[in-house]
Amino acid sequence: MDKKYTGKTFTVEILAILLGLVFLVPFYYVFSNSLKTFAEILTNTSALPSVLQFENYINAFKQLNYLKAFTNSLIITVASNVVLVVFCSMAAYMLVRTKKKISNVIFMIFVAAMVIPFQSIMIPLIKTTSSLGLLNSVWGLVIMYLGFGSGMTIFLYHGFIKGIPVELEEAAIIDGCTPFGVFWKIVFPLLKPITVTVVILNSLWIWNDFLLPQLVLQDASLRTIPMATFFFFGQYTKQWDLALAGLVLSIIPLLIFFFSMQKHIIKGITSGSIK
Amino acid sequence: MNNIKLENANSPVIKDKNSAISTKASLKANRKFKKAGLFTLFVGPAFLAFAVIVLIPFFTGIYYAFTDWNGVTGNVAWVGLDNFKYLFTEDKQFQRSFLLTIKYTLVAIILTNVVGFGLALLVSQKLKTKNILRTVFFMPNLIGGLLLGFIWQFIFIKGFESIGSITGLSLFELPWLGDEKTAFWGIVIVSVWQGAGYIMLIYLAALQNVPQDIVEAAKIDGANKWQVLRHITMPMVAPAVTISLFLTISSSFKIFDVNLSLTNGGPFKSTEMLALNIYTEAFVNNRYGLGEAKALIFFLVVAAITIIQVTITKKREVES
């Protein structure tokens, strides 16, 4: 790590850029071919499109029922994040501040259950929750995300709240603040950094999740973006012009989210993984 | 709060000593009751959802692993260890999936970590483009496995064919997804492409914590670049290696989305990994009992990996 920018560093830089381009090649192929006619995709896969075919996007947008799928994904992601942040921050706060055995036991159960892979739960989950009316409903799915996400979310909040001094809360209680008031007015604003991390990690997971919504939501009108892409790709296999335009449409929201929140995302992911 | 104030206000009126004590006791009981109520109010909603969605299905699932449940007929019969016997003696596809998943996990963790560490070393240099490069290397990680699998389906089928005819390299002219061996490597390529950027971030954070004065001191003492890497950087980064290894082990072992969208287990179920095998058994063949038996084995392996991970990380923390 020399301070000077030497000829050697320049060589490394060129190599690194080439490697970066290799990483981007798949995106190039998908983007450029999504704007070609079917015949041109077959004959000229590597070249740039000769005439831009925006019809591909218009067709894919309609066939995917894109607006509906996007709205579904958005509602599910936002609602799940809200319930996860509200209920898990409250739970973690109480578990930290109640110095009793039961707090430790409950916390350990939440943490230990993070080990359970989804495949070990999904069969009874789908077969037994139908009796609770949670299947084929967006709200049912949101409750499921609360259940599945609670372990990780409580774990992250728990670690953060432990570092917050209790004196502030005690002063507020003496001033006659209710426990809810203490939590929402004093503690919750202090949790902002970890809330950002939690929301980013959960958003990426929920937005990209395929299997759970696929098992829970049966109505075509409830499909999320990954589900809609899955059915679309299955329906138009080898009809690359449509399939690729649909694929690009599915990727775009993620890229926008990434580039607008890049700093937070990288920070959130690094801190989330190390804990 | 209101109740307590009322009782406090009343208590001076009561002259009798005994009743004063009883008020004090009821005050205490009241407070305790309130605390328990508050505890339930704060912890209850999350725990209820967690119990209904995770705990109950998990434990009923263990029970179903020992039954012949098929989801259609109402009666579920206890069959003891029959499901497990069947899996280990007759179900060749399950055994094949199991071995394939282990093989895949080994290959994927080595490659993802080597590539990820290499990328971290690269972007921790004083490059002018290091920030853009970090973004580029990390970008695939953001997109879900399902979409990545579809992207690469096109690359393997059409992109490689085109690159092959331009460059004449026979490597690109192989029937990548149509052949058992290359399809396996196809899944590996996609998951390394997806995972390396993530692992890079973890190593990068660790590399940035390596104190520069130690590195400078070693250089003054005549250490070359390799010696610095081997004797200073590597030991300082060791905890990150543990974290990354286990993150990749459990994510590789649980691979599903890429498997489904890239090859769908094909050709001829030769690339069907465990998670996909469980899914197929349960939701395509409708043999829930058998699927649950597989899921239980799956859980035991994942749990074992995690327990080893936690023990090792804890041990390291104590040592350091």
Side-chain angles (χ1 to χ4, degrees):
Chain A
M1 286 195 205
D2 300 320
K3 293 265 151 60
K4 273 178 291 177
Y5 193 86
T6 57
K8 220 173 172 184
T9 326
F10 181 71
T11 325
V12 174
E13 177 123 41
I14 298 294
L15 281 172
I17 291 172
L18 286 176
L19 197 62
L21 289 177
V22 171
F23 258 70
L24 290 177
V25 162
F27 291 115
Y28 164 74
Y29 271 91
V30 169
F31 277 104
S32 76
N33 283 289
S34 70
L35 287 162
K36 293 177 190 169
T37 62
F38 184 63
E40 201 186 351
I41 293 175
L42 294 188
T43 53
N44 243 338
T45 320
S46 296
L48 283 167
S50 54
V51 182
L52 299 181
Q53 303 290 326
F54 288 109
E55 296 96 277
N56 291 347
Y57 279 88
I58 296 166
N59 288 337
F61 192 90
K62 279 187 210 145
Q63 302 284 332
L64 261 174
N65 213 343
Y66 186 76
L67 219 53
K68 186 82 196 141
F70 180 83
T71 320
N72 289 339
S73 278
L74 195 66
I75 291 173
I76 290 166
T77 309
V78 171
S80 305
N81 265 305
V82 171
V83 293
L84 273 164
V85 164
V86 169
F87 293 125
C88 294
S89 64
M90 282 167 64
Y93 168 71
M94 200 41 103
L95 291 176
V96 173
R97 289 290 183 250
T98 310
K99 305 257 182 271
K100 291 240 172 73
K101 210 173 174 187
I102 186 162
S103 310
N104 286 330
V105 172
I106 291 178
F107 181 62
M108 285 319 288
I109 295 173
F110 271 117
V111 173
M114 282 160 64
V115 175
I116 305 172
F118 178 70
Q119 273 75 13
S120 305
I121 301 173
M122 65 178 182
I123 304 170
L125 175 74
I126 297 310
K127 293 298 142 191
T128 53
T129 44
S130 61
S131 55
L132 293 171
L134 294 179
L135 284 194
N136 217 2
S137 121
V138 166
W139 299 111
L141 186 62
V142 169
I143 292 174
M144 288 186 195
Y145 279 126
L146 174 59
F148 281 117
S150 56
M152 179 71 174
T153 311
I154 286 180
F155 180 68
L156 288 173
Y157 272 123
H158 196 272
F160 193 87
I161 293 170
K162 270 197 292 192
I164 294 180
V166 74
E167 285 77 15
L168 221 63
E169 295 157 41
E170 280 165 352
I173 290 172
I174 292 165
D175 289 348
C177 208
T178 64
F180 269 98
V182 170
F183 178 70
W184 288 112
K185 287 193 196 126
I186 294 164
V187 179
F188 191 72
L190 295 174
L191 302 180
K192 200 180 155 203
I194 196 71
T195 302
V196 172
T197 302
V198 159
V199 167
I200 283 169
L201 291 177
N202 286 332
S203 299
L204 288 175
W205 159 52
I206 293 166
W207 185 277
N208 282 321
D209 193 25
F210 167 71
L211 189 51
L212 181 62
Q214 162 78 0
L215 292 172
V216 172
L217 307 173
Q218 281 115 19
D219 276 2
S221 66
L222 294 177
R223 278 178 194 162
T224 60
I225 285 193
M227 287 169 77
T229 318
F230 179 75
F231 285 105
F232 187 71
F233 229 82
Q235 208 174 344
Y236 295 99
T237 338
K238 309 294 175 298
Q239 210 177 317
W240 294 114
D241 46 345
L242 264 183
L244 292 177
L247 201 51
V248 173
L249 284 174
S250 317
I251 297 170
I252 284 174
L254 278 164
L255 293 186
I256 293 174
F257 178 68
F258 178 52
F259 286 112
S260 55
M261 311 263 302
Q262 199 180 345
K263 240 185 172 169
H264 292 295
I265 291 178
I266 289 183
K267 226 177 94 195
I269 283 179
T270 325
S271 62
S273 70
I274 288 167
K275 270 161 195 157
Chain B
M1 278 284 160
N2 274 337
N3 281 338
I4 294 168
K5 268 187 193 153
L6 270 179
E7 282 183 41
N8 277 339
N10 286 339
S11 53
V13 183
I14 302 159
K15 293 266 169 353
D16 187 7
K17 215 180 176 187
N18 278 338
S19 70
I21 289 168
S22 79
T23 323
K24 233 180 187 174
S26 81
L27 201 77
K28 221 176 178 184
N30 198 352
R31 236 184 233 157
K32 212 172 178 185
F33 181 74
K34 262 209 169 134
K35 263 197 169 158
L38 213 57
F39 187 83
T40 317
L41 220 56
F42 273 68
V43 181
F47 193 77
L48 186 69
F50 169 73
V52 172
I53 303 303
V54 177
L55 289 186
I56 295 172
F58 176 66
F59 288 111
T60 48
I62 293 178
Y63 160 73
Y64 283 124
F66 300 93
T67 67
D68 65 353
W69 186 35
N70 61 18
V72 184
T73 51
N75 42 343
V76 175
W78 181 265
V79 294
L81 290 172
D82 281 7
N83 286 334
F84 296 92
K85 243 182 252 161
Y86 174 81
L87 293 184
F88 287 113
T89 54
E90 285 172 59
D91 195 338
K92 293 279 175 278
Q93 183 54 42
F94 173 73
Q95 295 159 22
R96 188 153 81 151
S97 292
F98 200 107
L99 291 178
L100 185 77
T101 311
I102 291 174
K103 184 179 151 197
Y104 163 78
T105 306
L106 283 176
V107 175
I109 54 169
I110 293 170
L111 287 179
T112 311
N113 279 282
V114 168
V115 175
F117 188 67
L119 292 178
L121 278 180
L122 205 57
V123 296
S124 63
Q125 309 285 314
K126 292 246 173 294
L127 303 180
K128 291 203 164 80
T129 50
K130 67 176 181 208
N131 287 328
I132 301 173
L133 286 171
R134 283 177 198 178
T135 307
V136 166
F137 293 137
F138 177 71
M139 215 162 68
N141 193 264
L142 207 72
I143 300 166
L146 192 88
L147 299 179
L148 291 181
F150 286 136
I151 292 176
W152 277 88
Q153 210 187 84
F154 179 72
I155 306 299
F156 282 127
I157 293 173
K158 295 303 302 171
F160 272 28
E161 186 189 292
S162 166
I163 296 172
S165 69
I166 293 169
T167 59
L169 292 172
S170 57
L171 181 72
F172 291 104
E173 287 166 335
L174 298 170
W176 273 83
L177 298 182
D179 181 72
E180 185 179 333
K181 277 208 179 103
T182 45
F184 171 79
W185 286 101
I187 299 174
V188 172
I189 291 172
V190 179
S191 26
V192 172
W193 186 66
Q194 177 187 24
Y198 179 67
I199 299 303
M200 172 193 78
L201 285 185
I202 298 172
Y203 284 131
L204 195 59
L207 281 174
Q208 283 164 342
N209 285 334
V210 177
Q212 283 309 302
D213 45 339
I214 300 183
V215 177
E216 292 303 324
K219 275 185 184 161
I220 291 166
D221 290 347
N224 62 30
K225 268 203 167 157
W226 168 247
Q227 283 170 323
V228 170
L229 183 70
R230 173 72 192 79
H231 296 288
I232 296 172
T233 313
M234 294 287 239
M236 298 295 273
V237 175
V241 176
T242 323
I243 293 167
S244 305
L245 276 181
F246 282 101
L247 275 176
T248 34
I249 290 178
S250 61
S251 69
S252 306
F253 196 77
K254 291 191 271 192
I255 183 175
F256 178 83
D257 287 2
V258 172
N259 198 189
L260 179 76
S261 61
L262 188 68
T263 66
N264 196 9
F268 307 110
K269 287 188 169 274
S270 62
T271 61
E272 189 179 82
M273 310 264 183
L274 259 187
L276 187 57
N277 183 264
I278 296 170
Y279 174 81
T280 316
E281 193 67 76
F283 296 108
V284 179
N285 303 342
N286 277 330
R287 294 195 288 191
Y288 297 128
L290 213 51
E292 264 311 326
K294 291 178 178 185
L296 184 57
I297 296 171
F298 190 63
F299 162 72
L300 290 174
V301 176
V302 174
I305 294 171
T306 316
I307 288 167
I308 296 170
Q309 167 193 10
V310 172
T311 334
I312 292 179
T313 356
K314 277 272 154 67
K315 217 171 140 195
R316 234 183 244 287
E317 270 168 21
V318 172
E319 278 167 4
S320 68

